[in-house]
């Protein structure tokens, strides 16, 4: 069984037991959260597609922890103009583990 969920403005295809890093959730490490923006659920009994979300569909996740991603460098440069600007960014994330999928 798998599901397509939406969180943090992004869509993810998830299966039970999978771990992934998503945008930061306001939950403590070790807690359980239910994500209710389920777009699609597929399995042995077929595919259910929401419009846009499945009513009654939810994905249960366990929050493993929070962290920060790798640093990326932003460089702005104009040749022959004595203009150079560098900037760095590290995105916050929440690591989760999928514990259950419930179709509506």
């Amino acid at each position: 069984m798998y599901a397509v969920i939406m969180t943090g403005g992004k869509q993810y295809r998830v299966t039970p037991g999978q771990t992934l890093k998503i945008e930061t959730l306001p939950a403590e490490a070790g807690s359980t959260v239910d994500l209710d923006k389920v777009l699609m659920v597929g399995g042995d009994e077929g595919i259910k597609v929401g419009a846009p979300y499945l009513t009654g569909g939810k994905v249960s996740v366990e929050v493993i922890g929070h962290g920060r991603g790798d640093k990326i460098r932003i460089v702005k440069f104009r040749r022959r103009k004595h203009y150079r600007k560098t900037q760095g960014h590290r995105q916050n994330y929440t690591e989760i583990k999928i514990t259950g999928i419930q179709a509506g």
Side-chain angles (χ1 to χ4, degrees):
M1 180 176 246
Y2 68 93
V4 178
I5 61 171
M6 186 165 136
T7 178
K10 299 174 184 69
Q11 297 176 6
Y12 301 95
R13 182 184 188 270
V14 297
T15 57
Q18 178 183 0
T19 62
L20 70 147
K21 296 176 182 177
I22 61 171
E23 296 291 321
T24 304
L25 291 177
E28 295 182 14
S31 64
T32 303
V33 178
D34 289 334
L35 302 176
D36 58 348
K37 291 187 177 181
V38 180
L39 303 170
M40 183 179 89
V41 173
D44 297 335
E45 61 274 354
I47 296 175
K48 293 183 181 178
V49 180
Y53 306 119
L54 281 174
T55 56
K58 69 177 181 177
V59 175
S60 299
V61 300
E62 178 186 349
V63 177
I64 296 173
H66 301 283
R68 299 185 76 189
D70 294 334
K71 180 176 273 195
I72 61 168
R73 302 262 182 214
I74 299 104
V75 178
K76 295 181 179 182
F77 180 79
R78 298 280 184 255
R79 62 183 186 163
R80 297 187 302 267
K81 304 297 181 190
H82 296 293
Y83 175 77
R84 179 173 54 210
K85 182 178 180 181
T86 59
Q87 188 177 359
H89 177 75
R90 292 181 69 189
Q91 186 69 30
N92 296 325
Y93 67 83
T94 299
E95 190 170 2
I96 60 171
K97 181 177 182 178
I98 309 299
T99 56
I101 296 173
Q102 209 174 39

